[in-house]
């Protein structure tokens, strides 16, 4: 997951088709960690792991950087 988070600020504004690939990697990692099957819904699995979907992770990291720049 740290590899997905590495360049979040650069990924802001990237087309959805490119983010879909990263989302598939995150979904596979979540299934591997939890031992769930491919046919199970991924949203509850991500919720249990406290993981945001890729698009929201990118926005969260960018907003966190802006917040820290303003307040620190």
């Amino acid at each position: 997951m740290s590899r997905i988070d590495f360049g979040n600020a650069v990924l802001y504004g990237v087309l959805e088709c490119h983010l879909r690939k990263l989302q598939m990697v995150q979904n596979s990692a979540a299934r591997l960690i939890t031992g769930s099957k491919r046919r199970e819904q991924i949203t509850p699995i991500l919720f249990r792991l406290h993981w945001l979907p890729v698009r929201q992770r990118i926005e969260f990291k960018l907003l966190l950087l802006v917040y820290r720049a303003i307040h620190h």
Side-chain angles (χ1 to χ4, degrees), residues 10-68:
V10 177
L11 294 173
Y12 186 77
V14 171
L15 295 175
E16 191 66 33
C17 62
H18 299 297
L19 289 181
R20 196 173 309 127
K21 294 175 185 178
L22 285 175
Q23 186 64 55
M24 288 178 10
V25 170
Q26 183 186 34
N27 294 350
S28 296
R31 285 191 174 101
L32 180 68
I33 290 171
T34 59
S36 58
K37 304 279 189 247
R38 184 163 170 81
R39 67 181 186 275
E40 293 181 46
Q41 289 285 326
I42 195 63
T43 306
I45 295 169
L46 294 175
F47 185 78
R48 255 193 338 249
L49 292 172
H50 301 282
W51 288 0
L52 291 171
V54 172
R55 171 131 344 249
Q56 281 103 14
R57 285 177 86 90
I58 293 168
E59 291 174 3
F60 174 78
K61 286 288 197 162
L62 190 60
L63 291 171
L64 185 63
L65 286 172
V66 170
Y67 176 82
R68 286 182 180 166

